[in-house]
Amino acid sequence: MSVAGTLLRSRALAALTSPHGVDRYLELVNPMWAAHEVRARIVGVHREVDVPGHPPVATLTLQPTATWRGHRAGQHVQVGVEVDGARRTTRVFTISSPDSRPGDRFTITLRANPGGVVSRFLAERAQPGTVLHLSQAQGEFVLPDHVPEQILLVSGGSGITPVMSMLRSLQRRTHRGRITFLHYAQSPEHQIYAAELDEIRRSGDGIDVHLLHPELGDPALSPAYLHRLLPGYQDVPTWACGPEPLMKAVQAAYDGSDALRTEYFRPPRASSGDAGGEVVFERSGKAAPNAGTPILDQAEALGLTPESGCRMGICFSCVSRKTEGTVRNVLTGEESSLPDEDIRICVSAPVGDCSVDL
Amino acid sequence: MSTTDTTPTVRLTAEQLDQLGEELDALRQRIIADLGEADATYIRDIVKAQRAFEVAGRALFYLPPAWPLAVASLSISKILDNMEIGHNVMHGQYDWMGDPGLNSRMYEWDNVCPSEQWKNSHNYIHHTYTNILGKDRDIGYGVLRMDEDQPWHPYYLGNPVYALLLMLFFEWGVAMHDLEVENLVAGKRKVSENAALHAGIMRKVKHQALKDYVLFPALTGPLFPLTFAGNATANLVRNVWAFNIIFCGHFPAGVATFSQEECEDETRGHWYYRQLLGSANITGGKLFHILTGNLSHQIEHHLFPDLPARRYPQIAGEVREVCERYGLPYNTGSLGRQLGSVARKICRMALPDRPEETRTPGPVVAEPAAA
């Protein structure tokens, strides 16, 4: 790739393909050719967990384009899919395979959320050959270059993916220290990577694997339990990822200790009724009770001056990113709750809490 | 409202305007609910065709006998790029697809006018204030007299010449549109206000000129002059085509203009009404519509600027039926007819008005019958 890559990213080629850019031409020949963008072809689909009546969990193996710069264990990637060939929807998934180098294959593991367009498509319908749109790997929830002698990895549910990526990387790096791996799952049937973890447990490589199922009587996460498991745990470098209740318990147990690093993904908040709630303007740090009027009006009432034009939804000057919450299009009455969505703020009124990147 | 021809002024009551607004909103809603794969496939196919014509055009310049074919191919590429893709994508018609390559905020077109500036002058100013004298700067582009309510001045004796020049250098005219040169001359605008715009235009001009007039000609080696001339011709063809289609969309006989007073506190219904009366269509076949970016359905475009343009022919019948029901004119005609009408207007507006042609604008909205 290096010679071809240098050529494809050269200023000369950019000038010749101006104003559209090299990728707009390459993609017409082969979607896996790219100079700047990152795409990936699904090369493997593996069902991790399939409990009847519960959303399945699948691991997808992705072959990225040569533009993929690699990732560090614990990082995530934005994945865009065109469901039914039209609307591209983008969601963030954690990478579950060990550190990757440029152009390397990697895996994402995801649960099909019942209301999630992307996760359901990927877990239930995606086939090898499907091309996805990716960002570069992102996120600060990573292991340091020099991994401490002793570490603790805590996860719950599908929050296992980033710490599994860390565990796999450490194994590959032949980490000599002691790793305590603590995971909470609903039941043994819901355990993701059960066979691999079982093998790790029996390998005797200094990795303590604890798989817990509180619903079956195992102890819930508490300071007492952690202390029993690992005396002085508050000083042990810890990486924790999981659903909100587990993360709250972890944070309480560490009581502000610097040793703890956490990450969790909140599900999108659903509509919380008509008006009411709070509108947050993230970039300017302002917030106000939701007045029920279009976001542009509410922003201006707070003294902000977002770019705007026609004020009737036709000119697209005011398009801004809604990061969270539900908005209603005042012209059509259509409601939308997708996170990270571009909306015309002159005709979008918040329904309940709402955050906008303004 | 004034029309530059003999079309009677149609007045609707406030209730009728509200009803018109509701009907058109419902039509819009039906199309939005129906957007999907067919629309996505369509625009992607057009993009593929445009890129193919472009590559073919650039390659054919290496075969001197194929020069006319190369120019034709590149011209079609530029026309598709500007009209069915650029104009429509930058209206946000395909934003719902979530594809950065077809997103109004990111798209840049093959034209010396930077997309950022064009979106302001076109999407915002022109589409919001369509045909309101003194607000819609597309009326005459600050150069021409296109309406009898623009006061005559001896300068306008040159109207046909200015029109011809604007046609030949249309992309440059569009690029300079935002600079409001006429307001600079009139002292209504300061040169310093243009600094940022100026920088944006120069950057874009540099990219466009480098590609069309230096790099691609240089790559053909000894054929440099031929390739250079071919690229210039393709730009010219696109300019002439775009100018004519756009002028047929707003300036044939029977198209209405509005005063600022009559558009104060405008209702949604009145906005639709103004868009209907301020636009004109051109009849033609499917290929013709594609090459105009479906701006041959300027009426439908002005009613629903953010709907994918491929939908305009589908809904044209319904819009026409609505017009008939409300007694509103639906201005359409062949390319020849509309062009002739535009040309006549350009020439007539060069001369001072004869007294019998001057009209006094009346109120658009009639008093409600049962007020």
Side-chain angles (χ1 to χ4, degrees), chain A residues 18 20 25 88 332 342 344, chain B residues 29 54 81 97 100 211 306:
Chain A
S18 168
H20 304 307
Y25 293 86
R88 184 185 307 176
T332 65
D342 286 338
R344 284 168 273 177
Chain B
Q29 208 35 46
E54 182 180 4
D81 178 289
M97 285 171 62
K211 169 179 78 159
D306 60 340

Side-chain angles (χ1 to χ4, degrees), chain B residues 53-361:
Chain B
F53 276 114
E54 182 180 4
V55 171
R58 305 279 185 202
L60 284 168
F61 280 120
Y62 288 89
L63 295 171
W67 191 86
L69 208 56
V71 172
S73 188
L74 194 56
S75 301
I76 290 173
S77 153
K78 283 176 181 278
I79 285 169
L80 287 174
D81 178 289
N82 279 194
M83 304 193 74
E84 184 69 326
I85 306 169
H87 170 268
N88 294 334
V89 165
M90 286 192 280
H91 261 294
Q93 293 181 359
Y94 299 96
D95 275 16
W96 56 273
M97 285 171 62
D99 181 344
L102 295 168
N103 182 284
S104 62
R105 285 205 287 177
M106 298 178 218
Y107 198 82
E108 187 57 79
W109 59 350
D110 184 59
N111 187 298
V112 292
C113 179
S115 63
E116 212 43 56
Q117 296 182 20
W118 182 82
K119 279 184 280 181
N120 181 65
S121 60
H122 181 85
N123 289 9
Y124 169 34
I125 306 290
H126 169 59
H127 273 273
T128 309
Y129 305 113
T130 310
N131 282 21
I132 300 179
L133 283 160
K135 292 205 105 175
D136 180 4
R137 299 192 56 259
D138 279 27
I139 302 176
Y141 288 78
V143 183
L144 306 175
R145 181 171 183 247
M146 294 306 295
D147 192 276
E148 63 215 9
D149 289 342
Q150 287 173 283
W152 185 82
H153 181 277
Y155 159 87
Y156 290 119
L157 286 170
N159 228 26
V161 180
Y162 313 145
L164 185 71
L165 290 172
L166 182 60
M167 175 171 82
L168 299 178
F169 298 100
F170 191 54
E171 63 169 331
W172 301 90
V174 171
M176 286 172 61
H177 191 42
D178 265 13
L179 297 176
E180 305 189 21
V181 178
E182 79 280 12
N183 289 336
L184 285 179
V185 174
K188 285 190 234 160
R189 189 179 169 89
K190 288 197 221 107
V191 178
S192 57
E193 290 176 60
N194 279 350
L197 294 174
H198 208 258
I201 296 172
M202 287 318 289
R203 208 165 32 243
K204 191 71 199 297
V205 167
K206 204 180 78 186
H207 286 142
Q208 291 294 118
L210 182 70
K211 169 179 78 159
D212 278 343
Y213 301 125
V214 181
L215 293 177
F216 276 111
L219 280 174
T220 53
L223 300 171
F224 188 105
L226 273 180
T227 312
F228 180 97
N231 291 352
T233 311
N235 280 324
L236 179 77
V237 169
R238 181 267 322 272
N239 284 352
V240 171
W241 179 255
F243 171 93
N244 282 301
I245 296 304
I246 290 160
F247 270 60
C248 285
H250 289 295
F251 305 119
V255 168
T257 54
F258 300 80
S259 71
Q260 295 185 35
E261 296 76 50
E262 63 194 319
C263 300
E264 263 170 36
D265 301 319
E266 188 176 52
T267 60
R268 187 154 178 81
H270 187 268
W271 184 84
Y272 273 129
Y273 166 87
R274 175 159 57 81
Q275 302 302 329
L276 267 172
L277 268 58
S279 315
N281 283 5
I282 316 167
T283 53
K286 192 168 180 217
L287 191 61
F288 172 75
H289 292 317
I290 291 173
L291 287 174
T292 67
N294 278 300
L295 293 182
S296 46
H297 289 90
Q298 191 75 243
I299 296 174
E300 288 73 21
H301 173 58
H302 261 270
L303 293 173
F304 312 113
D306 60 340
L307 290 187
R310 68 181 284 270
R311 299 289 190 152
Y312 299 152
Q314 291 177 16
I315 59 175
E318 215 169 322
V319 171
R320 193 171 187 154
E321 185 271 324
V322 169
C323 285
E324 275 161 19
R325 231 169 340 100
Y326 286 86
L328 299 172
Y330 184 88
N331 192 333
T332 186
S334 67
L335 182 62
R337 195 190 109 167
Q338 302 292 57
L339 276 180
S341 174
V342 170
R344 274 193 299 281
K345 186 185 279 187
I346 289 171
C347 295
R348 204 176 57 226
M349 289 297 126
L351 303 171
D353 301 319
R354 280 163 293 175
E356 68 270 23
E357 266 187 7
T358 330
R359 292 162 165 277
T360 38

Side-chain angles (χ1 to χ4, degrees), chain A residues 271-356:
Chain A
S271 165
S272 56
D274 208 23
E278 191 180 43
V279 184
V280 179
F281 297 96
E282 289 171 343
R283 227 180 311 146
S284 55
K286 296 202 173 183
N290 173 16
T293 52
I295 292 169
L296 177 59
D297 298 338
Q298 300 200 41
E300 288 175 342
L302 284 174
L304 303 180
T305 52
E307 203 176 311
S308 70
C310 66
R311 308 187 80 100
M312 54 185 298
I314 60 160
C315 82
F316 286 68
S317 305
C318 67
V319 172
S320 302
R321 180 143 292 198
K322 178 203 73 185
T323 50
E324 253 186 272
T326 302
V327 289
R328 181 173 41 86
N329 183 322
V330 298
L331 299 178
T332 65
E334 204 178 340
E335 287 195 3
S336 163
S337 305
L338 296 178
D340 291 330
E341 182 183 24
D342 286 338
I343 55 167
R344 284 168 273 177
I345 57 172
C346 69
V347 292
S348 299
V351 182
D353 291 332
C354 183
S355 300
V356 191

